[in-house]
Amino acid sequence: MTNRKCFMRNYIQIYNSMKKLPFSGYLINGSNGEVAALSIEERLQILRHVHQNVDRNRLLLANAYCESTKQCCEITKLLASNGADAVLVLIPFYHRRSLNEDAILAHFRTVADSSPVPVVIYNNPGVTNLDISTQTILKLAEHPNICGVKEDNVSKIAELMGEIQNKKLNFEVTQSSGSKLLQSLVVGACGGMVSLPNILGDEVCQLYKLYKENKLEEAAKLQYRLASVDTMLILANLGVPGMKAALDLLGLYGGPCRLPLQPLPSHDIDKLKDRLAQNGFL
């Protein structure tokens, strides 16, 4: 099987396993989808497949990552014309030393001005080595075509929610880490765009359900278990190889990584397997 066929099989199987879960939408071509290793046509191919099969009551969000504002504007239009309901936009970080607040504002506003669909800001300092400040996010939130942010920092989420309510802005804040989902919901986030449902979709949905039912003690216990796995994948730098290995361990299809990423070493697979088992997921 060619690497491209493996890649499509991976996406299709994961998506099919999620169709019955009560997600409000899907984010495709994200970090764990190896977006940086995909050609534009591969990204569109994945989007078209999901669009043809997705419940149209669910939001379909696609990652529009590119290393220039012009390219980001162009791919945003392609994503919209191929079925995306909204796009996720990351800072182009190759020239991060020159990206002051004016540059960041110009990038997002230019993309939002040209985009046929709403734009969601993705603040990911772990990848970009740039942290978009609360005040910059709030300035961007005033743009009519910028509808939300994907943010990891719980303190910043709490600060944003306070300012959004004070200013009466129509702007949503979501958590980007599965290990911090409950904490973020408690301080006002509307939900999460997290990678953990790739392997533990039922459990993440159960966490949200427990929160909505105000069963916070049960929710906290489940959050501890989810965080144990999520922090191992993130903080131990297992990353994409770790997510693929977890999929394989849970009976789904992880498949090979694209170079330069390497398969997870066997000793790390054993540690991951133990962690999943210890928390009742395997």
Side-chain angles (χ1 to χ4, degrees), residues 215-266:
K215 297 177 180 178
L216 296 185
E217 186 174 348
E218 285 183 65
K221 290 178 181 178
L222 179 54
Q223 178 69 91
Y224 300 152
R225 293 165 56 212
L226 291 169
S228 179
V229 175
D230 196 55
T231 53
M232 185 173 190
L233 290 169
I234 305 291
L235 299 183
N237 293 319
L238 301 188
V240 172
M243 182 62 72
K244 287 176 175 285
L247 285 164
D248 289 333
L249 287 168
L250 291 165
L252 295 167
Y253 177 76
C257 302
R258 290 197 172 184
L259 291 172
L261 295 180
Q262 298 292 302
L264 200 66
S266 58

Side-chain angles (χ1 to χ4, degrees), residues 48 55 81 127 155 171 186 198 201 211 232 240 256:
R48 286 192 292 265
D55 180 344
S81 65
V127 169
S155 297
F171 188 79
V186 169
N198 286 323
Y211 164 74
M232 185 173 190
V240 172

Side-chain angles (χ1 to χ4, degrees), residues 2 5 54 80 93 105 121 129 138 141 172 185 190 207 213 242 246:
T2 67
K5 289 180 180 176
V54 73
F93 53 92
L105 290 171
I121 302 162
N129 204 27
L138 288 170
E172 294 189 338
L185 292 170
C190 65
L207 176 66
E213 294 173 350

Side-chain angles (χ1 to χ4, degrees), residues 96 130-131 172 236 247:
R96 57 181 170 269
L130 285 167
D131 187 15
E172 294 189 338
L247 285 164

